[in-house]
Amino acid sequence: SKAAARQRRGRAGRVQAGVCFHLYPTTAHAQMNEYQLPEILRTPLEELCLQIKALNLGKIRPFLQRALEPPLELSVDNAISLLTSIGALTSDEQLTALGRHLAALPVDPRVGKMLLLGAVMQCLPPVLTIAAGLAHRDPFVLPIDKKQAADQARRALAG
């Protein structure tokens, strides 16, 4: 955001003379939002919903509606629906035994369930490999017009 860029510029020279270089063009700066969206509006809500239930803070929807900038109802509904479908919440938003375990893990609830089931089924090493792969974005995601260059890079890395 433009606010973050101004803050970084202000850090240059705070203790001694300094210069701040922004490694993006002026056109990119002009297209930036003035301020970054609040984190609650730009991140998945599943882990937060589990924490709300684990800390006995009441129903999820009313709790999140008290935020300064509450998330969209659809986002909250989707998070609750996902947690219900994987067995972390009951239909009346009560935390299940699986949900208590997932709330203790610092990962996406779907990945957490996969890890727990891998441990139970005694096949944790391959599940850990899959979970590690799912935890990060694909390094080869590029704009469509650069697909050929990405394919060439993949082939070069593949040997």
Side-chain angles (χ1 to χ4, degrees):
S1 69
K2 291 179 183 176
R6 281 191 301 275
Q7 183 180 24
R8 284 188 191 91
R9 185 178 60 219
R11 287 187 189 134
R14 190 172 285 170
V15 182
Q16 62 185 26
V19 177
C20 177
F21 293 97
H22 295 286
L23 301 178
Y24 49 81
T26 306
T27 55
H29 184 268
Q31 294 174 352
M32 288 181 183
N33 291 333
E34 193 61 37
Y35 296 97
Q36 189 174 28
L37 281 174
E39 188 172 4
I40 197 166
L41 298 178
R42 56 186 162 88
T43 58
L45 298 174
E46 292 87 9
E47 287 182 70
L48 179 59
C49 291
L50 280 177
Q51 291 304 313
I52 291 168
K53 296 311 291 182
L55 295 171
N56 295 319
L57 298 174
K59 292 280 190 181
I60 295 169
R61 284 179 194 85
F63 183 85
L64 290 176
Q65 288 306 312
R66 293 193 317 239
L68 291 176
E69 292 192 36
L72 296 173
E73 282 288 326
L74 180 62
S75 299
V76 177
D77 290 341
N78 288 343
I80 292 170
S81 176
L82 176 93
L83 293 173
T84 303
S85 71
I86 66 171
L89 292 178
T90 62
S91 58
D92 61 338
E93 288 188 22
Q94 296 303 310
L95 205 57
T96 64
L98 174 63
R100 279 190 288 284
H101 289 293
L102 293 176
L105 295 174
V107 295
D108 178 88
R110 291 168 288 201
V111 174
K113 182 176 181 179
M114 184 174 65
L115 291 171
L116 291 172
L117 290 175
V120 168
M121 295 182 182
Q122 298 180 347
C123 59
L124 191 57
V127 170
L128 284 171
T129 302
I130 294 167
L134 291 173
H136 296 286
R137 292 179 44 202
D138 183 359
F140 296 107
V141 173
L142 290 175
I144 293 172
D145 60 334
K146 306 222 183 209
K147 185 175 179 349
Q148 286 182 324
D151 288 341
Q152 288 175 341
R154 281 189 202 133
R155 280 194 290 278
L157 288 173

